[in-house]
Amino acid sequence: EVTCTRVNGTARVGFSTMAAGLTLGTCAHGFGYGGTAKKSHAGKFEDYGVTYGQGDTVGCMLDAPSGTISFSVNGEDMGPAFA
């Protein structure tokens, strides 16, 4: 989990490999969820979840056996983002 204490623009959280670039979710090696309520992978952005920003706590969950990534905002599960 991460709590957004100060946001100067758009925050994005998620997972990546060491081969990923610094802009999470814009290459094939990263999966992201942004404060604009978009999930991203390989440069493709799709509606997902709710918007978040300063004061919100965002959780990132990886279920390795099922290959599923999901996120939460302030304890509310947003459901599977990537499977």
Side-chain angles (χ1 to χ4, degrees):
E1 287 184 337
V2 62
T3 299
C4 301
T5 57
R6 187 178 78 190
V7 179
N8 293 332
T10 302
R12 193 178 303 149
V13 298
F15 298 95
S16 69
T17 69
M18 294 294 288
L22 295 178
T23 51
L24 188 61
T26 61
C27 71
H29 303 287
F31 298 85
Y33 171 40
T36 58
K38 301 284 185 188
K39 64 179 184 176
S40 57
H41 171 65
K44 184 176 181 182
F45 292 78
E46 298 178 358
D47 291 341
Y48 171 79
V50 297
T51 59
Y52 64 84
Q54 188 168 342
D56 292 322
T57 300
V58 183
C60 307
M61 288 79 69
L62 170 65
D63 183 340
S66 72
T68 302
I69 295 173
S70 59
F71 300 91
S72 65
V73 177
N74 298 323
E76 182 179 344
D77 189 350
M78 298 291 107
F82 305 100

